[in-house]
Amino acid sequence: MKVFQGKNLLLLLAVLLLTAVLAGCSNSSEAMEDKQETTDLSPDEILNSAFKEEFPLQYESYLKNMDSPSEHTSKFITEIEPNLPILFHNYGFMLEYNKTRGHTYAVEDVINVARINDNSIGSCMTCKSTAVPQLLDDMGDEYWGASFKEDIVPRTVAYGEGGELEELGEYGHLSIGCSDCHDPVTMDLRITRPSFTNAMDRMGVDVSEASKNDMRTYVCAQCHVEYYFGADNGKVTFPWDNGLKPEDMFEYYEDQAKDQDFDYDWISSISGAPMLKAQHPEFELWSYGTHGEAGVSCSDCHMPYERTDGKKKISSHHWGSPMETVEQSCRSCHGDKSEAELVNRVENIQEAHLEAMHETQDHSVKSHYYVNRMITAGAPEDKIEEAQYYVRKGQWFWDIIAAENSDGFHNPQGGMDAMRTSSDASNQAIQIAIAELTKLEVDLEELEREIEKVVADVHNEEDPFKKHEHAVNEYFPNVLELD
Ligand code: HEC
Ligand code: HEC
Ligand code: HEC
Ligand code: HEC
C-alpha cells in the first residue's frame, strides 16, 4: 500500500511473502466456512442485537466486551501519569481522563465523562456509535458542529428504543458495533467514517481498493487515530497530509492547520502557551513499527481465532489486551518463543516506555512553570512567545505517545524517539527562561523549590477531580487571569 511509499520494492515483496507464509499458520477458510452469501438484514441496520440471530457466535463474543471493569481507572494515579492535571491545565482533560474500556461502553462513557459540557459538539460521538453514519446521512455537515447534548445524544438514544436494550446496558446497543465494520447485507468489511477515507485519499491511498489484509487494519483506523476538529465546522479531520509520524503531524499543525485557522486546542493557564491535544494514534504508531511494516494487522493480534462451541472457529470480537490470549494472538507467528518469553518481552518494553514517559513529562511540567515565572517576572514578550513555542512542541511529542494506548508496544523505537524530541524541546524552553530570569535576578533555587511543592500538592490530593485546583497557587498564578 502507498502509505509505505519510498520503500524498496524488493524489500516490500519479501515482506509480503513473509506475511503470506505467516498468515498461513492460522486457518482463515475454516472460520469463513459457514458465512452466507447475503444476510436477511436491512442495508441500513445499526442495532447490534439485530445481528444476533444470524451470527450468534460473533454476537456472543461481542457481548464479552461488557466484561470490562465497571469502575473507571483514572490516568491521574501515581503509577500512570500523575502530572496530567498540571499538563492539561485549563482544558477538559484536567478534569477527567480515564483508561479505555470495552467498545460496548463507548456511548455511555462519552456521555458521562466530565469533559463533556454545554459547548461539546456532535463530532464527539463520531467514534462511539453505530448511529453516526446515519446521523451524517440525515444531517450532512451540520452533524459535526451540532450541540452534543441537545441534538446528538437524544437522537442517538432514540434510535435504539425497544429491542434488546437491557442486555447491553442503557446505551450499549448502539455503541461501536457490527455495522461500523461490516456491510450488514454482505458482511464484507467496510469503512463507515468519511474522515478516514478523506485523509487516506489526501495521502494518495484509495481505500475502496484496499486488500482484505489492509481492511483488517483499516476498520480499526477509522477511530484509533489522531484527529482534530476543523476550525470552520468542527469536522473530525486527520492531520496526515505530511505523513503519520509525530514530527509530520506537528509540522501539519504548524503549517496547514494554521492556514485553515486552526491554531490550538486550548491555552495553558500556567504557561499561557497555545497547546495541542493528541488523541490515541494506534494506527499511526503501528504503521511504522515492526509489526505494521511486516503487514501484521490489528486484527491478527486483537481478534485472534477462537473456538467457541468446541468445534467452530471464529474471529474473536472481544477487543482487549492480546496478552490475555498470547497463545492465539502471538504464538500463531512466534511459535519458537514460549508464552513466558513473549510476556517478558512485552513487559520489558512497557516498563522502559513508562519510565521514559515519566521523565519526559517531568521536563514538560518544569517548562510550564518556568514560563509562568517569566510572565510574572516581566520578561520580554518575544522571549516569552519563543519559550511558549517550545512548551507546545515539547508537550505534543510526549502526548502523542502517551495517548497511544499500547504503552509503547506497537512501536517501541518510535515512542522513544518522540520522547527524546519532547525532552529536548522542553529543555529549550527552560534554557530560554533561565537566561531571561537570570537577567531579571529571579531566585532560581526558590523557583525549583516552588515547583517541587506545587507538584507534590497535586500528587497528594486524593480526589482526581480536584487535583487540578492545586496546580496554580500564589507563587504560580493562573496567567490568563492576570491583568
Ligand atoms: C471493529 C470492527 C468490527 C466490528 C465492530 C465487528 N466486526 Fe465482525 N469482523 C471484523 C474483522 C476484522 C473480521 C475478520 C474478517 C476477515 O479476516 O475476513 C470479522 C469477521 C466477522 C465474521 C466472519 C467470520 C469470522 O468470525 O471471522 C462475522 C460473521 C462477523 N465478523 C460478524 C460480526 C457481528 C455479528 C458483529 C456485531 C456483533 C461484528 N462482526 C462486529 C471486524 C469487526
Ligand atoms: C467506531 C470507532 C471504533 C472502531 C471502528 C474501533 N474502535 Fe476500538 N475503541 C474505540 C473507542 C471509543 C474505545 C474506548 C471505549 C471506552 O473507553 O468507553 C475503544 C477501545 C478499544 C480497546 C480497549 C478495550 C479495553 O477493554 O480497554 C481496544 C483493544 C480496541 N478498541 C481495539 C480495536 C480494534 C483492534 C479495532 C478494529 C478491529 C477497533 N478497536 C475498532 C473506538 C473504535
Ligand atoms: C503484534 C500484535 C499487535 C498488533 C499488530 C496491534 N496490537 Fe494493539 N496491542 C498489542 C499489545 C501487546 C498491547 C498491550 C496490551 C497490554 O498492555 O496488556 C496492545 C494494546 C492496544 C490497545 C490498548 C488496549 C487496552 O487494554 O487499553 C489498543 C486500543 C490497541 N492495542 C489497538 C490496536 C490497533 C488499532 C492496532 C492496529 C492499528 C493494533 N492495536 C495493532 C498488540 C498488537
Ligand atoms: C501475523 C504474525 C505475527 C503476529 C500475530 C505477532 N507477530 Fe510479533 N513479529 C512478527 C514479525 C513478522 C516480526 C518481525 C520479524 C521478527 O523479528 O521476527 C515480529 C517481531 C516481534 C518482536 C520483535 C520486535 C522488535 O522491534 O524487536 C516482538 C517482541 C514481537 N514480535 C512480539 C509479539 C507479540 C507479543 C505478539 C502478540 C501480542 C506478536 N508479536 C504477534 C509477526 C507477528
Side-chain angles (χ1 to χ4, degrees):
M1 65 181 159
K2 270 237 188 86
V3 187
F4 312 123
Q5 255 167 0
K7 259 202 124 72
N8 179 316
L9 188 64
L10 276 178
L11 179 66
L12 194 66
L13 279 174
V15 167
L16 287 174
L17 264 177
L18 175 67
T19 316
V21 171
L22 288 166
C25 46
S26 38
N27 182 355
S28 59
S29 57
E30 194 178 334
M32 303 302 292
E33 235 168 47
D34 55 358
K35 193 188 143 187
Q36 305 163 5
E37 285 297 301
T38 55
T39 67
D40 293 329
L41 296 162
S42 150
D44 299 326
E45 187 54 68
I46 57 170
L47 265 180
N48 288 307
S49 47
F51 291 76
K52 179 180 176 184
E53 204 181 307
E54 292 196 57
F55 305 104
L57 299 179
Q58 283 81 6
Y59 187 76
E60 197 184 318
S61 174
Y62 172 82
L63 284 186
K64 291 197 192 127
N65 295 293
M66 296 303 283
D67 297 348
S68 276
S70 53
E71 296 277 305
H72 287 290
T73 308
S74 169
K75 289 199 185 195
F76 299 163
I77 60 175
T78 317
E79 303 76 47
I80 308 182
E81 296 167 273
N83 290 328
L84 295 186
I86 299 172
L87 293 160
F88 294 129
H89 209 259
N90 194 37
Y91 197 47
F93 283 88
M94 78 175 177
L95 299 174
E96 186 176 9
Y97 197 178
N98 299 319
K99 300 225 9 145
T100 55
R101 290 206 296 164
H103 281 165
T104 44
Y105 288 101
V107 173
E108 70 181 79
D109 285 353
V110 71
I111 289 175
N112 293 330
V113 75
R115 294 197 297 274
I116 289 288
N117 58 39
D118 291 341
N119 298 325
S120 298
I121 57 175
S123 283
C124 301
M125 190 61 86
T126 308
C127 63
K128 317 292 189 213
S129 172
T130 55
V132 170
Q134 251 181 47
L135 287 168
L136 270 168
D137 268 357
D138 295 351
M139 302 173 74
D141 277 341
E142 298 287 299
Y143 159 79
W144 311 105
S147 163
F148 182 82
K149 279 191 182 171
E150 303 277 315
D151 300 331
I152 301 302
V153 171
R155 299 190 65 174
T156 309
V157 176
Y159 270 117
E161 267 167 10
E164 296 175 46
L165 281 187
E166 268 148 39
E167 86 180 319
L168 281 174
E170 198 179 356
Y171 308 110
H173 63 293
L174 281 180
S175 202
I176 304 165
C178 321
S179 61
D180 285 327
C181 302
H182 293 284
D183 178 321
V185 176
T186 62
M187 290 308 274
D188 286 342
L189 293 179
R190 69 168 181 185
I191 303 296
T192 48
R193 301 301 192 274
S195 306
F196 176 72
T197 313
N198 295 341
M200 292 297 274
D201 194 45
R202 294 201 305 277
M203 288 198 298
V205 181
D206 180 354
V207 196
S208 67
E209 301 281 304
S211 69
K212 202 171 159 202
N213 191 52
D214 285 345
M215 285 303 283
R216 288 164 57 85
T217 293
Y218 288 176
V219 287
C220 318
Q222 309 183 75
C223 302
H224 286 271
V225 292
E226 158 65 4
Y227 66 84
Y228 70 103
F229 295 160
D232 49 347
N233 62 358
K235 185 174 184 167
V236 173
T237 312
F238 302 173
W240 292 349
D241 298 25
N242 306 331
L244 298 179
K245 294 187 175 173
E247 54 270 35
D248 302 327
M249 294 193 268
F250 186 66
E251 191 188 306
Y252 176 94
Y253 282 118
E254 292 301 303
D255 193 1
Q256 288 105 319
K258 284 187 177 173
D259 285 346
Q260 296 158 33
D261 294 327
F262 177 88
D263 292 325
Y264 51 79
D265 284 304
W266 93 104
I267 296 184
S268 162
S269 38
I270 296 173
S271 61
M275 306 297 292
L276 300 166
K277 177 72 193 81
Q279 325 286 341
H280 39 71
E282 278 82 57
F283 172 66
E284 293 91 325
L285 266 292
W286 163 89
S287 74
Y288 67 105
T290 310
H291 288 102
E293 292 202 321
V296 180
S297 73
C298 314
S299 308
D300 287 328
C301 295
H302 286 280
M303 298 183 68
Y305 293 110
E306 63 180 23
R307 278 187 198 281
T308 46
D309 54 3
K311 26 184 211 299
K312 285 209 186 94
K313 249 185 179 181
I314 63 156
S315 305
S316 166
H317 281 66
H318 180 199
W319 300 273
S321 170
M323 302 321 285
E324 308 278 319
T325 48
V326 173
E327 189 59 36
Q328 299 87 334
S329 288
C330 317
R331 292 201 71 248
S332 48
C333 295
H334 297 290
D336 57 330
K337 293 203 175 61
S338 69
E339 172 157 350
E341 272 176 282
L342 286 162
V343 170
N344 197 27
R345 284 291 291 277
V346 175
E347 281 175 0
N348 285 344
I349 290 169
Q350 292 182 326
E351 270 167 33
H353 178 89
L354 282 177
E355 201 182 304
M357 182 59 68
H358 288 152
E359 203 178 300
T360 194
Q361 287 179 339
D362 283 346
H363 296 145
S364 202
V365 163
K366 263 180 128 178
S367 74
H368 278 283
Y369 285 120
Y370 266 80
V371 176
N372 180 284
R373 194 69 189 94
M374 282 178 95
I375 295 168
T376 56
E381 207 53 50
D382 61 328
K383 290 290 171 190
I384 293 174
E385 274 177 27
E386 199 187 332
Q388 284 169 335
Y389 165 80
Y390 286 110
V391 171
R392 164 183 166 105
K393 181 175 178 184
Q395 180 139 337
W396 165 261
F397 276 91
W398 65 252
D399 192 19
I400 190 74
I401 302 304
E404 208 277 348
N405 283 299
S406 72
D407 292 335
F409 175 76
H410 293 148
N411 189 341
Q413 191 58 48
M416 288 295 176
D417 289 348
M419 288 192 277
R420 202 168 312 112
T421 307
S422 166
S423 287
D424 287 351
S426 300
N427 285 329
Q428 206 141 349
I430 294 168
Q431 290 313 316
I432 294 165
I434 288 176
E436 296 308 313
L437 294 173
T438 308
K439 283 185 220 160
L440 294 164
E441 294 180 6
V442 168
D443 183 345
L444 293 178
E445 274 171 29
E446 182 189 50
L447 172 57
E448 283 285 333
R449 279 197 307 276
E450 290 292 337
I451 293 176
E452 263 173 51
K453 239 166 64 189
V454 75
V455 169
D457 285 346
V458 172
H459 290 193
N460 291 338
E461 168 63 61
E462 288 187 5
D463 183 348
F465 293 94
K466 290 198 174 142
K467 281 177 175 282
H468 67 92
E469 292 171 11
H470 303 278
V472 288
N473 56 28
E474 228 168 283
Y475 189 88
F476 296 118
N478 178 330
V479 295
L480 304 178
E481 288 169 1
L482 297 176
D483 293 328

